[in-house]
Amino acid sequence: IHDEVGFNYRLSNVHAAMGCAQLENIQARLAAKLAIAEGYDEGLANSEGITLPEEAPWASSAWWMYTVLVDEAVFGLDSRGLLRSLADSGIQARPVWQPLNISKAHVTSQDRRCEVAERLYRDALSLPSSVGLTPRDQKRVVDALSRARADAVSVAGR
């Protein structure tokens, strides 16, 4: 979330070198990201109120982030409630980026409603998906998400 418009075109030599080094292992990184996505697909397949991401039939995702949609009415928590619950379990998730049309930095820009972007900002949550995420770490995320739903449902008396 930004309060003002700015530009950051810097890329130090060190950061450029790190990027080039990472490209040497791109296939292994893509395979790790795919394995993480498949692990979440399997672990969250039956999670009521959670919509999993899908690949377009004409594309191959790099699975840079694994972002789910949280349906508060079914899940029992909204995305921010789930974010807090995961944080309480020591798991760092994050909401998607704030749409520009509601950003303080762009308050003087042309006013347009962007209902899809606003809905995604409200309902989407990106789960941990670093290439270093282990299957054990991932199980911890899935289990914490399941506990959050169970706790929310029991509080609601469903």
Side-chain angles (χ1 to χ4, degrees):
I1 296 176
H2 302 284
D3 294 327
E4 59 186 62
V5 176
F7 302 93
N8 183 355
Y9 295 124
R10 295 180 308 219
L11 178 64
S12 71
N13 291 345
V14 172
H15 288 110
M18 287 172 45
C20 288
Q22 288 178 336
L23 283 174
E24 292 175 5
N25 298 320
I26 191 71
Q27 294 307 319
R29 289 177 170 278
L30 290 172
K33 295 295 242 174
L34 177 59
I36 290 166
E38 289 172 343
Y40 278 134
D41 285 350
E42 183 179 324
L44 299 173
N46 298 316
S47 297
E48 292 183 59
I50 298 293
T51 301
L52 306 181
E54 296 179 13
E55 277 185 316
W58 45 264
S60 255
S61 178
W63 297 109
W64 176 54
M65 299 184 90
Y66 191 91
T67 303
V68 298
L69 294 175
V70 182
D71 181 340
E72 178 180 7
V74 178
F75 189 77
L77 286 174
D78 65 4
S79 69
R80 299 318 189 260
L82 178 55
L83 178 69
R84 285 187 297 276
S85 179
L86 291 173
D88 290 345
S89 296
I91 296 167
Q92 185 180 23
R94 59 159 293 155
V96 296
W97 288 272
Q98 181 186 63
L100 291 178
N101 68 302
I102 61 173
S103 170
K104 289 179 186 177
H106 296 279
V107 72
T108 60
S109 299
Q110 186 176 14
D111 187 23
R112 294 199 185 267
R113 300 227 30 218
C114 298
E115 294 173 17
V116 173
E118 292 168 20
R119 179 180 55 81
L120 292 174
Y121 179 59
R122 182 190 68 231
D123 296 343
L125 191 65
S126 294
L127 302 178
S129 56
S130 166
V131 293
L133 194 72
T134 66
R136 183 176 173 189
D137 295 332
Q138 197 169 24
K139 181 176 180 348
R140 204 170 137 251
V141 173
V142 170
D143 290 348
L145 193 143
S146 296
R147 273 193 314 277
R149 181 172 195 283
D151 291 347
V153 168
S154 71
V155 166
R158 294 184 206 177

